[in-house]
Amino acid sequence: MDTKELYREILNEHNINPTHKQDMNEATFCMDGVNPSCGDQITLKMKLNDDGIIENVSFIGSGCAISQASADMMADLLIGKTKEQALSLADIFDRMIKEEVSEEELEQLDEAAALQDISHMPARVKCAMLGWRTMKQMLGIETN
């Protein structure tokens, strides 16, 4: 199986059987995200524990396979991380889309690296970025 086929399988699995596409009660943060160019939309929720560790991430919404799979992969990646680590991963994801990431950084994205080729499909970049952009906006909000 070649790499592109493996990436397609990962993308399809996260779209068809998303682990984190569900509502969450008692979220610490909640934010709506919309991609106005195609109509994809999500409501992203995140729960942090008292130590500032991301305990849970979920999303609800609708959109194309890329936006929904990307949000699910992001949620997988963020659980157990701090806000700072989550924002660092978002920076790596942004740079991956711009083809400005090292192999070592790419490995930190785990399955989200399956979206690396999206950079060659400009119309789909905003789809892949929706969850990540929403998360960055959400974590920029101070709760204190």
Side-chain angles (χ1 to χ4, degrees):
M1 176 183 306
D2 72 352
T3 305
K4 288 187 187 232
E5 188 176 329
L6 176 64
Y7 284 171
R8 273 192 298 276
E9 281 191 24
I10 291 169
L11 183 74
N12 284 336
E13 182 60 29
H14 279 277
N15 179 51
I16 295 168
N17 299 307
T19 305
H20 303 284
K21 190 170 185 177
Q22 58 198 357
D23 202 5
M24 179 197 316
N25 295 326
E26 301 177 16
T28 309
F29 296 102
C30 178
M31 180 161 273
D32 295 326
V34 176
N35 180 356
S37 61
C38 68
D40 292 352
Q41 59 184 16
I42 64 167
T43 298
L44 183 64
K45 294 185 177 185
M46 186 178 293
K47 182 175 184 178
L48 275 67
N49 67 21
D50 293 338
D51 296 323
I53 304 296
I54 299 168
E55 208 170 82
N56 197 5
V57 181
S58 72
F59 70 99
I60 54 173
S62 61
C64 68
I66 292 171
S67 73
Q68 301 300 289
S70 181
D72 196 56
M73 287 185 257
M74 178 191 73
D76 268 349
L77 198 55
L78 299 184
I79 294 172
K81 305 286 191 298
T82 63
K83 284 172 48 174
E84 294 75 21
Q85 289 169 322
L87 292 169
S88 175
L89 288 166
D91 177 62
I92 293 170
F93 191 86
D94 287 351
R95 288 186 291 112
M96 175 189 75
I97 297 297
K98 296 174 185 170
E99 299 181 311
E100 300 171 354
V101 69
S102 70
E103 282 299 315
E104 293 80 24
E105 290 173 315
L106 196 58
E107 288 177 14
Q108 293 179 52
L109 293 178
D110 197 31
E111 288 185 333
L115 295 166
Q116 185 175 19
D117 284 342
I118 295 297
S119 62
H120 303 289
M121 298 177 262
R124 306 313 301 263
V125 167
K126 288 182 180 178
C127 302
M129 296 294 298
L130 177 60
W132 294 89
R133 183 175 41 83
T134 304
M135 181 267 293
K136 289 193 315 186
Q137 291 172 341
M138 183 171 67
L139 292 182
I141 298 170
E142 293 298 323
T143 59
N144 297 347

PDB file of all heavy atoms in Angstrom, residues 25-56:
ATOM      1  N   ASN A  25     -21.073  17.868  27.500  1.00  0.00           N
ATOM      2  CA  ASN A  25     -21.558  18.701  28.597  1.00  0.00           C
ATOM      3  C   ASN A  25     -20.355  19.186  29.401  1.00  0.00           C
ATOM      4  O   ASN A  25     -19.301  18.558  29.402  1.00  0.00           O
ATOM      5  CB  ASN A  25     -22.499  17.901  29.501  1.00  0.00           C
ATOM      6  CG  ASN A  25     -23.767  17.499  28.779  1.00  0.00           C
ATOM      7  OD1 ASN A  25     -24.261  18.230  27.923  1.00  0.00           O
ATOM      8  ND2 ASN A  25     -24.288  16.334  29.106  1.00  0.00           N
ATOM      9  N   GLU A  26     -20.530  20.273  30.084  1.00  0.00           N
ATOM     10  CA  GLU A  26     -19.511  20.795  30.995  1.00  0.00           C
ATOM     11  C   GLU A  26     -18.177  21.099  30.309  1.00  0.00           C
ATOM     12  O   GLU A  26     -17.114  20.807  30.831  1.00  0.00           O
ATOM     13  CB  GLU A  26     -19.303  19.841  32.169  1.00  0.00           C
ATOM     14  CG  GLU A  26     -20.569  19.605  32.970  1.00  0.00           C
ATOM     15  CD  GLU A  26     -20.387  18.600  34.088  1.00  0.00           C
ATOM     16  OE1 GLU A  26     -19.242  18.299  34.446  1.00  0.00           O
ATOM     17  OE2 GLU A  26     -21.407  18.131  34.600  1.00  0.00           O
ATOM     18  N   ALA A  27     -18.231  21.669  29.136  1.00  0.00           N
ATOM     19  CA  ALA A  27     -17.004  22.062  28.434  1.00  0.00           C
ATOM     20  C   ALA A  27     -16.435  23.333  29.062  1.00  0.00           C
ATOM     21  O   ALA A  27     -17.179  24.206  29.503  1.00  0.00           O
ATOM     22  CB  ALA A  27     -17.298  22.300  26.960  1.00  0.00           C
ATOM     23  N   THR A  28     -15.119  23.424  29.099  1.00  0.00           N
ATOM     24  CA  THR A  28     -14.437  24.623  29.580  1.00  0.00           C
ATOM     25  C   THR A  28     -14.492  25.705  28.510  1.00  0.00           C
ATOM     26  O   THR A  28     -14.626  26.889  28.810  1.00  0.00           O
ATOM     27  CB  THR A  28     -12.966  24.294  29.917  1.00  0.00           C
ATOM     28  OG1 THR A  28     -12.920  23.145  30.766  1.00  0.00           O
ATOM     29  CG2 THR A  28     -12.275  25.460  30.594  1.00  0.00           C
ATOM     30  N   PHE A  29     -14.354  25.295  27.253  1.00  0.00           N
ATOM     31  CA  PHE A  29     -14.362  26.212  26.118  1.00  0.00           C
ATOM     32  C   PHE A  29     -15.333  25.689  25.069  1.00  0.00           C
ATOM     33  O   PHE A  29     -15.476  24.481  24.896  1.00  0.00           O
ATOM     34  CB  PHE A  29     -12.986  26.307  25.456  1.00  0.00           C
ATOM     35  CG  PHE A  29     -11.912  26.887  26.325  1.00  0.00           C
ATOM     36  CD1 PHE A  29     -10.989  26.071  26.943  1.00  0.00           C
ATOM     37  CD2 PHE A  29     -11.811  28.263  26.493  1.00  0.00           C
ATOM     38  CE1 PHE A  29      -9.986  26.601  27.733  1.00  0.00           C
ATOM     39  CE2 PHE A  29     -10.810  28.803  27.270  1.00  0.00           C
ATOM     40  CZ  PHE A  29      -9.895  27.971  27.895  1.00  0.00           C
ATOM     41  N   CYS A  30     -15.958  26.615  24.347  1.00  0.00           N
ATOM     42  CA  CYS A  30     -16.854  26.256  23.248  1.00  0.00           C
ATOM     43  C   CYS A  30     -16.788  27.367  22.215  1.00  0.00           C
ATOM     44  O   CYS A  30     -16.826  28.549  22.565  1.00  0.00           O
ATOM     45  CB  CYS A  30     -18.281  26.099  23.770  1.00  0.00           C
ATOM     46  SG  CYS A  30     -19.487  25.716  22.492  1.00  0.00           S
ATOM     47  N   MET A  31     -16.659  26.985  20.952  1.00  0.00           N
ATOM     48  CA  MET A  31     -16.632  28.000  19.898  1.00  0.00           C
ATOM     49  C   MET A  31     -17.166  27.427  18.600  1.00  0.00           C
ATOM     50  O   MET A  31     -16.895  26.280  18.260  1.00  0.00           O
ATOM     51  CB  MET A  31     -15.219  28.526  19.688  1.00  0.00           C
ATOM     52  CG  MET A  31     -15.142  29.590  18.600  1.00  0.00           C
ATOM     53  SD  MET A  31     -13.669  30.598  18.691  1.00  0.00           S
ATOM     54  CE  MET A  31     -14.231  31.856  19.831  1.00  0.00           C
ATOM     55  N   ASP A  32     -17.920  28.258  17.890  1.00  0.00           N
ATOM     56  CA  ASP A  32     -18.410  27.896  16.564  1.00  0.00           C
ATOM     57  C   ASP A  32     -17.392  28.323  15.519  1.00  0.00           C
ATOM     58  O   ASP A  32     -16.791  29.397  15.632  1.00  0.00           O
ATOM     59  CB  ASP A  32     -19.746  28.589  16.274  1.00  0.00           C
ATOM     60  CG  ASP A  32     -20.856  28.116  17.191  1.00  0.00           C
ATOM     61  OD1 ASP A  32     -20.848  26.917  17.564  1.00  0.00           O
ATOM     62  OD2 ASP A  32     -21.725  28.936  17.543  1.00  0.00           O
ATOM     63  N   GLY A  33     -17.216  27.486  14.519  1.00  0.00           N
ATOM     64  CA  GLY A  33     -16.353  27.810  13.396  1.00  0.00           C
ATOM     65  C   GLY A  33     -17.096  27.569  12.100  1.00  0.00           C
ATOM     66  O   GLY A  33     -17.850  26.605  11.982  1.00  0.00           O
ATOM     67  N   VAL A  34     -16.891  28.457  11.134  1.00  0.00           N
ATOM     68  CA  VAL A  34     -17.571  28.356   9.846  1.00  0.00           C
ATOM     69  C   VAL A  34     -16.559  28.618   8.741  1.00  0.00           C
ATOM     70  O   VAL A  34     -15.708  29.493   8.858  1.00  0.00           O
ATOM     71  CB  VAL A  34     -18.730  29.383   9.741  1.00  0.00           C
ATOM     72  CG1 VAL A  34     -19.373  29.339   8.366  1.00  0.00           C
ATOM     73  CG2 VAL A  34     -19.757  29.147  10.816  1.00  0.00           C
ATOM     74  N   ASN A  35     -16.681  27.839   7.680  1.00  0.00           N
ATOM     75  CA  ASN A  35     -15.917  28.098   6.469  1.00  0.00           C
ATOM     76  C   ASN A  35     -16.899  28.716   5.478  1.00  0.00           C
ATOM     77  O   ASN A  35     -17.655  27.992   4.837  1.00  0.00           O
ATOM     78  CB  ASN A  35     -15.323  26.800   5.924  1.00  0.00           C
ATOM     79  CG  ASN A  35     -14.522  26.998   4.667  1.00  0.00           C
ATOM     80  OD1 ASN A  35     -14.450  28.097   4.135  1.00  0.00           O
ATOM     81  ND2 ASN A  35     -13.941  25.926   4.173  1.00  0.00           N
ATOM     82  N   PRO A  36     -16.916  30.042   5.358  1.00  0.00           N
ATOM     83  CA  PRO A  36     -17.926  30.687   4.520  1.00  0.00           C
ATOM     84  C   PRO A  36     -17.813  30.339   3.038  1.00  0.00           C
ATOM     85  O   PRO A  36     -18.792  30.420   2.308  1.00  0.00           O
ATOM     86  CB  PRO A  36     -17.703  32.190   4.751  1.00  0.00           C
ATOM     87  CG  PRO A  36     -16.352  32.313   5.338  1.00  0.00           C
ATOM     88  CD  PRO A  36     -16.020  31.006   5.991  1.00  0.00           C
ATOM     89  N   SER A  37     -16.644  29.908   2.598  1.00  0.00           N
ATOM     90  CA  SER A  37     -16.489  29.612   1.172  1.00  0.00           C
ATOM     91  C   SER A  37     -17.217  28.338   0.751  1.00  0.00           C
ATOM     92  O   SER A  37     -17.557  28.189  -0.411  1.00  0.00           O
ATOM     93  CB  SER A  37     -15.011  29.551   0.787  1.00  0.00           C
ATOM     94  OG  SER A  37     -14.356  28.528   1.494  1.00  0.00           O
ATOM     95  N   CYS A  38     -17.462  27.418   1.703  1.00  0.00           N
ATOM     96  CA  CYS A  38     -18.154  26.189   1.309  1.00  0.00           C
ATOM     97  C   CYS A  38     -19.309  25.815   2.241  1.00  0.00           C
ATOM     98  O   CYS A  38     -20.053  24.888   1.950  1.00  0.00           O
ATOM     99  CB  CYS A  38     -17.173  25.034   1.205  1.00  0.00           C
ATOM    100  SG  CYS A  38     -16.492  24.531   2.790  1.00  0.00           S
ATOM    101  N   GLY A  39     -19.425  26.488   3.382  1.00  0.00           N
ATOM    102  CA  GLY A  39     -20.535  26.216   4.286  1.00  0.00           C
ATOM    103  C   GLY A  39     -20.243  25.195   5.365  1.00  0.00           C
ATOM    104  O   GLY A  39     -21.120  24.901   6.183  1.00  0.00           O
ATOM    105  N   ASP A  40     -19.027  24.637   5.418  1.00  0.00           N
ATOM    106  CA  ASP A  40     -18.685  23.723   6.516  1.00  0.00           C
ATOM    107  C   ASP A  40     -18.820  24.477   7.832  1.00  0.00           C
ATOM    108  O   ASP A  40     -18.479  25.657   7.917  1.00  0.00           O
ATOM    109  CB  ASP A  40     -17.232  23.232   6.398  1.00  0.00           C
ATOM    110  CG  ASP A  40     -16.982  22.328   5.205  1.00  0.00           C
ATOM    111  OD1 ASP A  40     -17.953  21.938   4.537  1.00  0.00           O
ATOM    112  OD2 ASP A  40     -15.810  22.005   4.957  1.00  0.00           O
ATOM    113  N   GLN A  41     -19.314  23.787   8.852  1.00  0.00           N
ATOM    114  CA  GLN A  41     -19.452  24.426  10.160  1.00  0.00           C
ATOM    115  C   GLN A  41     -19.233  23.404  11.264  1.00  0.00           C
ATOM    116  O   GLN A  41     -19.583  22.235  11.111  1.00  0.00           O
ATOM    117  CB  GLN A  41     -20.814  25.080  10.307  1.00  0.00           C
ATOM    118  CG  GLN A  41     -21.973  24.117  10.158  1.00  0.00           C
ATOM    119  CD  GLN A  41     -23.308  24.829  10.220  1.00  0.00           C
ATOM    120  OE1 GLN A  41     -23.394  26.042  10.088  1.00  0.00           O
ATOM    121  NE2 GLN A  41     -24.365  24.078  10.431  1.00  0.00           N
ATOM    122  N   ILE A  42     -18.623  23.861  12.356  1.00  0.00           N
ATOM    123  CA  ILE A  42     -18.457  23.008  13.525  1.00  0.00           C
ATOM    124  C   ILE A  42     -18.682  23.834  14.782  1.00  0.00           C
ATOM    125  O   ILE A  42     -18.532  25.055  14.779  1.00  0.00           O
ATOM    126  CB  ILE A  42     -17.056  22.349  13.611  1.00  0.00           C
ATOM    127  CG1 ILE A  42     -15.953  23.389  13.770  1.00  0.00           C
ATOM    128  CG2 ILE A  42     -16.790  21.423  12.446  1.00  0.00           C
ATOM    129  CD1 ILE A  42     -14.602  22.794  14.164  1.00  0.00           C
ATOM    130  N   THR A  43     -19.075  23.148  15.824  1.00  0.00           N
ATOM    131  CA  THR A  43     -19.038  23.694  17.170  1.00  0.00           C
ATOM    132  C   THR A  43     -18.029  22.837  17.903  1.00  0.00           C
ATOM    133  O   THR A  43     -18.215  21.625  18.040  1.00  0.00           O
ATOM    134  CB  THR A  43     -20.416  23.620  17.862  1.00  0.00           C
ATOM    135  OG1 THR A  43     -21.329  24.417  17.103  1.00  0.00           O
ATOM    136  CG2 THR A  43     -20.339  24.135  19.286  1.00  0.00           C
ATOM    137  N   LEU A  44     -16.942  23.458  18.309  1.00  0.00           N
ATOM    138  CA  LEU A  44     -15.841  22.760  18.960  1.00  0.00           C
ATOM    139  C   LEU A  44     -15.935  22.985  20.463  1.00  0.00           C
ATOM    140  O   LEU A  44     -16.153  24.117  20.907  1.00  0.00           O
ATOM    141  CB  LEU A  44     -14.513  23.298  18.427  1.00  0.00           C
ATOM    142  CG  LEU A  44     -13.235  22.645  18.928  1.00  0.00           C
ATOM    143  CD1 LEU A  44     -13.158  21.177  18.487  1.00  0.00           C
ATOM    144  CD2 LEU A  44     -12.023  23.406  18.397  1.00  0.00           C
ATOM    145  N   LYS A  45     -15.797  21.909  21.223  1.00  0.00           N
ATOM    146  CA  LYS A  45     -15.839  22.000  22.687  1.00  0.00           C
ATOM    147  C   LYS A  45     -14.604  21.318  23.258  1.00  0.00           C
ATOM    148  O   LYS A  45     -14.134  20.312  22.720  1.00  0.00           O
ATOM    149  CB  LYS A  45     -17.106  21.343  23.229  1.00  0.00           C
ATOM    150  CG  LYS A  45     -18.368  22.077  22.826  1.00  0.00           C
ATOM    151  CD  LYS A  45     -19.592  21.490  23.468  1.00  0.00           C
ATOM    152  CE  LYS A  45     -20.829  22.287  23.096  1.00  0.00           C
ATOM    153  NZ  LYS A  45     -22.021  21.809  23.805  1.00  0.00           N
ATOM    154  N   MET A  46     -14.120  21.890  24.358  1.00  0.00           N
ATOM    155  CA  MET A  46     -12.927  21.361  24.988  1.00  0.00           C
ATOM    156  C   MET A  46     -13.080  21.458  26.497  1.00  0.00           C
ATOM    157  O   MET A  46     -13.595  22.451  27.005  1.00  0.00           O
ATOM    158  CB  MET A  46     -11.719  22.187  24.531  1.00  0.00           C
ATOM    159  CG  MET A  46     -10.387  21.675  24.980  1.00  0.00           C
ATOM    160  SD  MET A  46      -9.034  22.695  24.330  1.00  0.00           S
ATOM    161  CE  MET A  46      -9.144  22.358  22.581  1.00  0.00           C
ATOM    162  N   LYS A  47     -12.625  20.423  27.178  1.00  0.00           N
ATOM    163  CA  LYS A  47     -12.658  20.423  28.635  1.00  0.00           C
ATOM    164  C   LYS A  47     -11.234  20.310  29.152  1.00  0.00           C
ATOM    165  O   LYS A  47     -10.502  19.390  28.776  1.00  0.00           O
ATOM    166  CB  LYS A  47     -13.503  19.269  29.163  1.00  0.00           C
ATOM    167  CG  LYS A  47     -13.619  19.257  30.672  1.00  0.00           C
ATOM    168  CD  LYS A  47     -14.544  18.180  31.170  1.00  0.00           C
ATOM    169  CE  LYS A  47     -14.673  18.303  32.682  1.00  0.00           C
ATOM    170  NZ  LYS A  47     -15.608  17.313  33.199  1.00  0.00           N
ATOM    171  N   LEU A  48     -10.843  21.284  29.998  1.00  0.00           N
ATOM    172  CA  LEU A  48      -9.531  21.260  30.639  1.00  0.00           C
ATOM    173  C   LEU A  48      -9.710  20.877  32.099  1.00  0.00           C
ATOM    174  O   LEU A  48     -10.691  21.273  32.729  1.00  0.00           O
ATOM    175  CB  LEU A  48      -8.862  22.637  30.565  1.00  0.00           C
ATOM    176  CG  LEU A  48      -8.081  22.952  29.306  1.00  0.00           C
ATOM    177  CD1 LEU A  48      -8.970  23.071  28.100  1.00  0.00           C
ATOM    178  CD2 LEU A  48      -7.264  24.212  29.486  1.00  0.00           C
ATOM    179  N   ASN A  49      -8.732  20.132  32.638  1.00  0.00           N
ATOM    180  CA  ASN A  49      -8.793  19.809  34.061  1.00  0.00           C
ATOM    181  C   ASN A  49      -8.156  20.943  34.867  1.00  0.00           C
ATOM    182  O   ASN A  49      -7.694  21.934  34.307  1.00  0.00           O
ATOM    183  CB  ASN A  49      -8.175  18.435  34.353  1.00  0.00           C
ATOM    184  CG  ASN A  49      -6.674  18.388  34.119  1.00  0.00           C
ATOM    185  OD1 ASN A  49      -5.979  19.412  34.097  1.00  0.00           O
ATOM    186  ND2 ASN A  49      -6.155  17.188  33.945  1.00  0.00           N
ATOM    187  N   ASP A  50      -8.101  20.791  36.178  1.00  0.00           N
ATOM    188  CA  ASP A  50      -7.569  21.837  37.048  1.00  0.00           C
ATOM    189  C   ASP A  50      -6.091  22.113  36.819  1.00  0.00           C
ATOM    190  O   ASP A  50      -5.588  23.178  37.199  1.00  0.00           O
ATOM    191  CB  ASP A  50      -7.806  21.479  38.520  1.00  0.00           C
ATOM    192  CG  ASP A  50      -9.285  21.497  38.885  1.00  0.00           C
ATOM    193  OD1 ASP A  50     -10.066  22.172  38.175  1.00  0.00           O
ATOM    194  OD2 ASP A  50      -9.662  20.837  39.874  1.00  0.00           O
ATOM    195  N   ASP A  51      -5.383  21.168  36.228  1.00  0.00           N
ATOM    196  CA  ASP A  51      -3.956  21.345  35.939  1.00  0.00           C
ATOM    197  C   ASP A  51      -3.718  21.948  34.560  1.00  0.00           C
ATOM    198  O   ASP A  51      -2.571  22.078  34.127  1.00  0.00           O
ATOM    199  CB  ASP A  51      -3.228  19.995  36.034  1.00  0.00           C
ATOM    200  CG  ASP A  51      -3.256  19.425  37.444  1.00  0.00           C
ATOM    201  OD1 ASP A  51      -3.162  20.221  38.401  1.00  0.00           O
ATOM    202  OD2 ASP A  51      -3.367  18.189  37.577  1.00  0.00           O
ATOM    203  N   GLY A  52      -4.785  22.307  33.847  1.00  0.00           N
ATOM    204  CA  GLY A  52      -4.642  22.917  32.538  1.00  0.00           C
ATOM    205  C   GLY A  52      -4.396  21.928  31.417  1.00  0.00           C
ATOM    206  O   GLY A  52      -3.993  22.305  30.325  1.00  0.00           O
ATOM    207  N   ILE A  53      -4.673  20.657  31.676  1.00  0.00           N
ATOM    208  CA  ILE A  53      -4.506  19.615  30.663  1.00  0.00           C
ATOM    209  C   ILE A  53      -5.845  19.412  29.954  1.00  0.00           C
ATOM    210  O   ILE A  53      -6.893  19.347  30.592  1.00  0.00           O
ATOM    211  CB  ILE A  53      -4.042  18.278  31.291  1.00  0.00           C
ATOM    212  CG1 ILE A  53      -2.758  18.472  32.098  1.00  0.00           C
ATOM    213  CG2 ILE A  53      -3.882  17.190  30.241  1.00  0.00           C
ATOM    214  CD1 ILE A  53      -1.557  18.895  31.305  1.00  0.00           C
ATOM    215  N   ILE A  54      -5.793  19.287  28.636  1.00  0.00           N
ATOM    216  CA  ILE A  54      -7.007  19.040  27.853  1.00  0.00           C
ATOM    217  C   ILE A  54      -7.469  17.615  28.120  1.00  0.00           C
ATOM    218  O   ILE A  54      -6.792  16.654  27.797  1.00  0.00           O
ATOM    219  CB  ILE A  54      -6.738  19.282  26.352  1.00  0.00           C
ATOM    220  CG1 ILE A  54      -6.325  20.740  26.125  1.00  0.00           C
ATOM    221  CG2 ILE A  54      -7.979  18.912  25.530  1.00  0.00           C
ATOM    222  CD1 ILE A  54      -5.769  21.023  24.746  1.00  0.00           C
ATOM    223  N   GLU A  55      -8.622  17.529  28.744  1.00  0.00           N
ATOM    224  CA  GLU A  55      -9.172  16.245  29.167  1.00  0.00           C
ATOM    225  C   GLU A  55     -10.059  15.616  28.093  1.00  0.00           C
ATOM    226  O   GLU A  55     -10.126  14.400  27.967  1.00  0.00           O
ATOM    227  CB  GLU A  55      -9.987  16.486  30.433  1.00  0.00           C
ATOM    228  CG  GLU A  55     -10.088  15.328  31.359  1.00  0.00           C
ATOM    229  CD  GLU A  55     -10.714  15.776  32.675  1.00  0.00           C
ATOM    230  OE1 GLU A  55     -11.962  15.873  32.747  1.00  0.00           O
ATOM    231  OE2 GLU A  55      -9.946  16.038  33.618  1.00  0.00           O
ATOM    232  N   ASN A  56     -10.746  16.478  27.338  1.00  0.00           N
ATOM    233  CA  ASN A  56     -11.641  15.962  26.311  1.00  0.00           C
ATOM    234  C   ASN A  56     -11.853  17.033  25.239  1.00  0.00           C
ATOM    235  O   ASN A  56     -11.818  18.222  25.540  1.00  0.00           O
ATOM    236  CB  ASN A  56     -12.988  15.552  26.909  1.00  0.00           C
ATOM    237  CG  ASN A  56     -13.781  14.645  26.000  1.00  0.00           C
ATOM    238  OD1 ASN A  56     -13.321  14.222  24.939  1.00  0.00           O
ATOM    239  ND2 ASN A  56     -15.008  14.334  26.400  1.00  0.00           N
TER     240      ASN A  56
END
